Amino acid sequence: MPSDVPSSREPSRLAGSGALRFALLVAVGAVIVSSVYQVGPSPDRLLAGAPRMANLVGRMLPPDVTPSFLARVAGQLRETLQIAIAGTFIGIVLSLPVAWMSARGVTPFPKLAVVFKGLVSFFRTVPDLVWALVFVATVGLGAVAGTMTIIVDTIGFCGRFFCESMEEADKKPQEALAATGAGRIGVLFAAILPDTLPSLTNSALFSLEKAVRASVVLGLVGAGGIGQELQVAFDLFQYQKASTIIIVIFGVVLVMEVATNKLRRMLA
């Protein structure tokens, strides 16, 4: 005689799912623990390195504030900002058509959307330093290689978020314009861009903030800017000059973050 009391036994499908989830958690935990154990900083190493760190900091103080050196740093800083601004601007301009071509339901060439998505993913997954090395080998040392690196990095960053914003845009205005006979370009400029403008602006400001930090690092591989001056200072053991450059970089990045945050709040 069947019982009316519901069974508390978990269905086999759910039980199997729970076992698989538990196995995945154990595997992830094992990877994390082994990684921390093998390459994580141990207390012994930190204690052993503390005197050397104190010695390095002592050699970096006081920072070099001679007028001639500060003038040279100011020139390199100007070049760094120019790399970031030019690369970001060109990258954003190129990201808009790339995002439009890759956005599902929006692109005028649906069969090519996967190609443009793959291009954006490729630009995003290759590290900045690798792109910088490629462009330094292609166009030589200097700011041009840094600008080209920022352009590619911006397309990879903005292309993805621009594409997602266009895909999530309100479809009703697009359908209304299409019903009146508007073409794809008309729908883009009259419906999609006005609807996604706050999101696009937010992504563009984040991209500029990211480019300023990246352009500093790019100088370490010869792509111009103040990072190149920092590399020279460390290579020549001029630690007081290096500390000045680090302080200047910190100040510029901090000012840029504050400025972009204020712009985002104003636009919001």
Side-chain angles (χ1 to χ4, degrees):
M1 181 175 179
S3 175
D4 294 333
V5 179
S7 174
S8 61
R9 178 179 296 178
E10 189 177 11
S12 59
R13 179 175 61 83
L14 295 180
S17 176
L20 178 60
R21 189 182 300 113
F22 177 76
L24 289 175
L25 289 175
V26 170
V28 171
V31 170
I32 293 174
V33 170
S34 64
S35 299
V36 171
Y37 177 76
Q38 292 179 9
V39 299
S42 64
D44 294 339
R45 285 199 170 188
L46 291 175
L47 290 175
R52 292 192 292 270
M53 176 62 73
N55 178 55
L56 177 61
V57 172
R59 297 171 68 181
M60 296 177 75
L61 298 176
D64 187 345
V65 292
T66 55
S68 59
F69 178 67
L70 290 178
R72 191 165 76 245
V73 169
Q76 296 292 337
L77 179 61
R78 183 183 68 251
E79 185 177 71
T80 297
L81 293 176
Q82 289 174 337
I83 291 171
I85 293 171
T88 303
F89 176 76
I90 299 173
I92 289 172
V93 170
L94 296 177
S95 294
L96 285 170
V98 170
W100 182 44
M101 291 292 183
S102 59
R104 291 188 304 269
V106 176
T107 174
F109 307 106
K111 293 183 179 180
L112 295 179
V114 65
V115 176
F116 285 97
K117 279 185 179 291
L119 181 66
V120 171
S121 297
F122 177 67
F123 285 170
R124 188 175 64 255
T125 53
V126 177
D128 295 344
L129 290 179
V130 175
W131 284 119
L133 291 172
V134 170
F135 290 126
V136 165
T138 304
V139 300
L141 298 170
V144 175
T147 302
M148 294 177 68
T149 302
I150 296 298
I151 291 172
V152 172
D153 182 63
T154 302
I155 295 174
F157 181 83
C158 287
R160 175 187 175 183
F161 292 105
F162 286 6
C163 174
E164 291 179 354
S165 298
M166 291 180 181
E167 290 178 345
E168 296 171 358
D170 189 1
K171 297 297 187 292
K172 292 181 180 179
Q174 301 176 40
E175 294 170 354
L177 284 171
T180 62
R184 294 275 189 175
I185 296 180
V187 172
L188 173 67
F189 283 98
I192 298 175
L193 290 182
D195 185 43
T196 60
L197 187 59
S199 177
L200 300 184
T201 304
N202 196 36
S203 298
L205 290 175
F206 271 119
S207 179
L208 177 60
E209 186 180 314
K210 180 172 176 288
V212 172
R213 292 193 297 267
S215 59
V216 172
V217 179
L218 298 180
L220 300 178
V221 294
I226 198 171
Q228 195 165 336
E229 189 74 27
L230 180 62
Q231 180 67 40
V232 171
F234 274 110
D235 289 342
L236 299 179
F237 305 104
Q238 298 174 341
Y239 295 119
Q240 291 179 327
K241 291 183 179 354
S243 65
T244 302
I245 297 171
I246 292 172
I247 293 171
V248 169
I249 291 171
F250 171 75
V252 170
V253 172
L254 183 62
V255 169
M256 182 60 65
E257 288 185 358
V258 172
T260 53
N261 286 335
K262 286 187 176 180
L263 281 174
R264 276 191 289 270
R265 285 196 295 268
M266 289 172 57
L267 294 172

